[in-house]
Amino acid sequence: MNDRPASTAPRPHKPLPFAPIDFEPFEGGSDPARISEAAHLAARALVHSGQASNDPEVTKRLVSLADDEGLEEIAEIWAASPAQSLPGALWRLYALRTATLQDPEGISIFFQAGQHKAQVAHAVAGVATSPNAEEITTMSNAILSGAFDGDFDVALDRTAAFCRVIALGQATLATEREAAHPEHASKLTKKAHQLVRTAEDLEGAAKSWRKGELD
């Protein structure tokens, strides 16, 4: 029998299990099945925990996951997941936010170049006209926040729209620089094509989510 008096102090809350380290027991080296299991488990925990909470601090922690844990850590679990899957969609959201935060000035230039030509620009709600680097960073955080405190499919569609605007800006600048800087123009064109594919992946994931088929 335990003779110790019962404590009246409140029990500390266990942090939400969304760090990659929390899923190490499910990792199995190079076993694709176990890696996939870990990827889906982590993705479900992130999205469901975020949407079940009304705490802004929880959302903030989820958004900054890649900052705290490192994008490489997330990549080990999610990067190989199919685009039309929950972990695959989350990987694209985090990777795009990280890329934006690494070069907000460059992204703002691309966004401005494509903003007035892209028909999907209006889908990036809350964006300023000709956003500067700080506004681009704020927008990137807001879009990812929506995956956890809003409608997940809307966050996917907004990110897809963001990608399409950036891609159009890159393509526009590539055309302008083709004669003077052909190598740089070629790189911009390649990046634009990659972003369009990413946008298509995110749009497909959003449709699957609305059908209840994204897992």
Side-chain angles (χ1 to χ4, degrees), residues 60-74:
K60 184 178 179 180
R61 289 174 61 201
L62 291 169
V63 169
S64 63
L65 176 63
D67 305 337
D68 300 333
E69 300 296 333
L71 192 65
E72 295 81 6
E73 294 291 335
I74 297 176

PDB file of all heavy atoms in Angstrom, residues 60-74:
ATOM      1  N   LYS A  60       1.183  27.308 -33.247  1.00  0.00           N
ATOM      2  CA  LYS A  60       2.502  27.911 -33.451  1.00  0.00           C
ATOM      3  C   LYS A  60       3.586  26.849 -33.432  1.00  0.00           C
ATOM      4  O   LYS A  60       4.518  26.872 -34.243  1.00  0.00           O
ATOM      5  CB  LYS A  60       2.759  28.957 -32.377  1.00  0.00           C
ATOM      6  CG  LYS A  60       4.063  29.717 -32.539  1.00  0.00           C
ATOM      7  CD  LYS A  60       4.208  30.774 -31.448  1.00  0.00           C
ATOM      8  CE  LYS A  60       5.535  31.524 -31.588  1.00  0.00           C
ATOM      9  NZ  LYS A  60       5.682  32.565 -30.529  1.00  0.00           N
ATOM     10  N   ARG A  61       3.488  25.907 -32.503  1.00  0.00           N
ATOM     11  CA  ARG A  61       4.479  24.834 -32.416  1.00  0.00           C
ATOM     12  C   ARG A  61       4.431  23.932 -33.647  1.00  0.00           C
ATOM     13  O   ARG A  61       5.467  23.481 -34.139  1.00  0.00           O
ATOM     14  CB  ARG A  61       4.239  24.005 -31.154  1.00  0.00           C
ATOM     15  CG  ARG A  61       4.586  24.721 -29.846  1.00  0.00           C
ATOM     16  CD  ARG A  61       4.178  23.886 -28.664  1.00  0.00           C
ATOM     17  NE  ARG A  61       4.881  22.606 -28.646  1.00  0.00           N
ATOM     18  CZ  ARG A  61       4.442  21.539 -27.983  1.00  0.00           C
ATOM     19  NH1 ARG A  61       3.298  21.575 -27.337  1.00  0.00           N
ATOM     20  NH2 ARG A  61       5.156  20.425 -27.989  1.00  0.00           N
ATOM     21  N   LEU A  62       3.221  23.662 -34.109  1.00  0.00           N
ATOM     22  CA  LEU A  62       3.077  22.823 -35.293  1.00  0.00           C
ATOM     23  C   LEU A  62       3.659  23.503 -36.529  1.00  0.00           C
ATOM     24  O   LEU A  62       4.338  22.867 -37.344  1.00  0.00           O
ATOM     25  CB  LEU A  62       1.603  22.494 -35.514  1.00  0.00           C
ATOM     26  CG  LEU A  62       0.970  21.570 -34.472  1.00  0.00           C
ATOM     27  CD1 LEU A  62      -0.537  21.535 -34.644  1.00  0.00           C
ATOM     28  CD2 LEU A  62       1.547  20.170 -34.560  1.00  0.00           C
ATOM     29  N   VAL A  63       3.404  24.791 -36.672  1.00  0.00           N
ATOM     30  CA  VAL A  63       3.914  25.529 -37.828  1.00  0.00           C
ATOM     31  C   VAL A  63       5.435  25.562 -37.813  1.00  0.00           C
ATOM     32  O   VAL A  63       6.088  25.465 -38.865  1.00  0.00           O
ATOM     33  CB  VAL A  63       3.340  26.967 -37.839  1.00  0.00           C
ATOM     34  CG1 VAL A  63       4.051  27.831 -38.873  1.00  0.00           C
ATOM     35  CG2 VAL A  63       1.846  26.929 -38.137  1.00  0.00           C
ATOM     36  N   SER A  64       6.024  25.690 -36.634  1.00  0.00           N
ATOM     37  CA  SER A  64       7.480  25.806 -36.529  1.00  0.00           C
ATOM     38  C   SER A  64       8.178  24.463 -36.372  1.00  0.00           C
ATOM     39  O   SER A  64       9.350  24.409 -36.001  1.00  0.00           O
ATOM     40  CB  SER A  64       7.845  26.712 -35.344  1.00  0.00           C
ATOM     41  OG  SER A  64       7.414  26.152 -34.119  1.00  0.00           O
ATOM     42  N   LEU A  65       7.480  23.384 -36.661  1.00  0.00           N
ATOM     43  CA  LEU A  65       8.064  22.051 -36.504  1.00  0.00           C
ATOM     44  C   LEU A  65       9.377  21.898 -37.252  1.00  0.00           C
ATOM     45  O   LEU A  65      10.365  21.390 -36.720  1.00  0.00           O
ATOM     46  CB  LEU A  65       7.068  20.988 -36.984  1.00  0.00           C
ATOM     47  CG  LEU A  65       7.566  19.542 -36.975  1.00  0.00           C
ATOM     48  CD1 LEU A  65       7.879  19.099 -35.556  1.00  0.00           C
ATOM     49  CD2 LEU A  65       6.536  18.605 -37.601  1.00  0.00           C
ATOM     50  N   ALA A  66       9.394  22.332 -38.508  1.00  0.00           N
ATOM     51  CA  ALA A  66      10.612  22.194 -39.316  1.00  0.00           C
ATOM     52  C   ALA A  66      11.737  23.053 -38.771  1.00  0.00           C
ATOM     53  O   ALA A  66      12.918  22.706 -38.898  1.00  0.00           O
ATOM     54  CB  ALA A  66      10.329  22.561 -40.772  1.00  0.00           C
ATOM     55  N   ASP A  67      11.397  24.187 -38.154  1.00  0.00           N
ATOM     56  CA  ASP A  67      12.419  25.058 -37.566  1.00  0.00           C
ATOM     57  C   ASP A  67      13.031  24.388 -36.346  1.00  0.00           C
ATOM     58  O   ASP A  67      14.246  24.444 -36.124  1.00  0.00           O
ATOM     59  CB  ASP A  67      11.810  26.397 -37.144  1.00  0.00           C
ATOM     60  CG  ASP A  67      11.087  27.097 -38.279  1.00  0.00           C
ATOM     61  OD1 ASP A  67      11.403  26.802 -39.444  1.00  0.00           O
ATOM     62  OD2 ASP A  67      10.208  27.918 -37.990  1.00  0.00           O
ATOM     63  N   ASP A  68      12.176  23.755 -35.533  1.00  0.00           N
ATOM     64  CA  ASP A  68      12.631  23.174 -34.276  1.00  0.00           C
ATOM     65  C   ASP A  68      13.335  21.834 -34.469  1.00  0.00           C
ATOM     66  O   ASP A  68      14.336  21.547 -33.813  1.00  0.00           O
ATOM     67  CB  ASP A  68      11.446  22.985 -33.324  1.00  0.00           C
ATOM     68  CG  ASP A  68      10.758  24.299 -32.993  1.00  0.00           C
ATOM     69  OD1 ASP A  68      11.440  25.343 -33.054  1.00  0.00           O
ATOM     70  OD2 ASP A  68       9.556  24.283 -32.684  1.00  0.00           O
ATOM     71  N   GLU A  69      12.795  21.000 -35.350  1.00  0.00           N
ATOM     72  CA  GLU A  69      13.321  19.647 -35.521  1.00  0.00           C
ATOM     73  C   GLU A  69      14.292  19.530 -36.687  1.00  0.00           C
ATOM     74  O   GLU A  69      15.092  18.604 -36.733  1.00  0.00           O
ATOM     75  CB  GLU A  69      12.163  18.657 -35.735  1.00  0.00           C
ATOM     76  CG  GLU A  69      11.170  18.592 -34.585  1.00  0.00           C
ATOM     77  CD  GLU A  69      11.795  18.069 -33.318  1.00  0.00           C
ATOM     78  OE1 GLU A  69      12.765  17.308 -33.404  1.00  0.00           O
ATOM     79  OE2 GLU A  69      11.306  18.416 -32.227  1.00  0.00           O
ATOM     80  N   GLY A  70      14.204  20.465 -37.633  1.00  0.00           N
ATOM     81  CA  GLY A  70      15.037  20.396 -38.829  1.00  0.00           C
ATOM     82  C   GLY A  70      14.286  19.740 -39.968  1.00  0.00           C
ATOM     83  O   GLY A  70      13.631  18.703 -39.781  1.00  0.00           O
ATOM     84  N   LEU A  71      14.349  20.364 -41.131  1.00  0.00           N
ATOM     85  CA  LEU A  71      13.638  19.829 -42.287  1.00  0.00           C
ATOM     86  C   LEU A  71      14.160  18.441 -42.663  1.00  0.00           C
ATOM     87  O   LEU A  71      13.421  17.598 -43.157  1.00  0.00           O
ATOM     88  CB  LEU A  71      13.774  20.788 -43.479  1.00  0.00           C
ATOM     89  CG  LEU A  71      12.853  20.509 -44.663  1.00  0.00           C
ATOM     90  CD1 LEU A  71      11.391  20.708 -44.266  1.00  0.00           C
ATOM     91  CD2 LEU A  71      13.195  21.407 -45.844  1.00  0.00           C
ATOM     92  N   GLU A  72      15.439  18.203 -42.411  1.00  0.00           N
ATOM     93  CA  GLU A  72      16.029  16.903 -42.739  1.00  0.00           C
ATOM     94  C   GLU A  72      15.372  15.794 -41.928  1.00  0.00           C
ATOM     95  O   GLU A  72      15.161  14.686 -42.426  1.00  0.00           O
ATOM     96  CB  GLU A  72      17.539  16.916 -42.485  1.00  0.00           C
ATOM     97  CG  GLU A  72      18.318  17.853 -43.381  1.00  0.00           C
ATOM     98  CD  GLU A  72      18.270  19.294 -42.904  1.00  0.00           C
ATOM     99  OE1 GLU A  72      17.707  19.532 -41.804  1.00  0.00           O
ATOM    100  OE2 GLU A  72      18.777  20.176 -43.611  1.00  0.00           O
ATOM    101  N   GLU A  73      15.060  16.080 -40.654  1.00  0.00           N
ATOM    102  CA  GLU A  73      14.406  15.093 -39.804  1.00  0.00           C
ATOM    103  C   GLU A  73      13.030  14.746 -40.341  1.00  0.00           C
ATOM    104  O   GLU A  73      12.621  13.583 -40.371  1.00  0.00           O
ATOM    105  CB  GLU A  73      14.284  15.632 -38.371  1.00  0.00           C
ATOM    106  CG  GLU A  73      15.613  15.837 -37.654  1.00  0.00           C
ATOM    107  CD  GLU A  73      16.294  14.533 -37.330  1.00  0.00           C
ATOM    108  OE1 GLU A  73      15.583  13.499 -37.216  1.00  0.00           O
ATOM    109  OE2 GLU A  73      17.531  14.529 -37.204  1.00  0.00           O
ATOM    110  N   ILE A  74      12.304  15.763 -40.779  1.00  0.00           N
ATOM    111  CA  ILE A  74      10.976  15.530 -41.343  1.00  0.00           C
ATOM    112  C   ILE A  74      11.093  14.762 -42.665  1.00  0.00           C
ATOM    113  O   ILE A  74      10.296  13.864 -42.950  1.00  0.00           O
ATOM    114  CB  ILE A  74      10.252  16.868 -41.576  1.00  0.00           C
ATOM    115  CG1 ILE A  74      10.045  17.582 -40.236  1.00  0.00           C
ATOM    116  CG2 ILE A  74       8.911  16.646 -42.267  1.00  0.00           C
ATOM    117  CD1 ILE A  74       9.434  18.954 -40.381  1.00  0.00           C
TER     118      ILE A  74
END
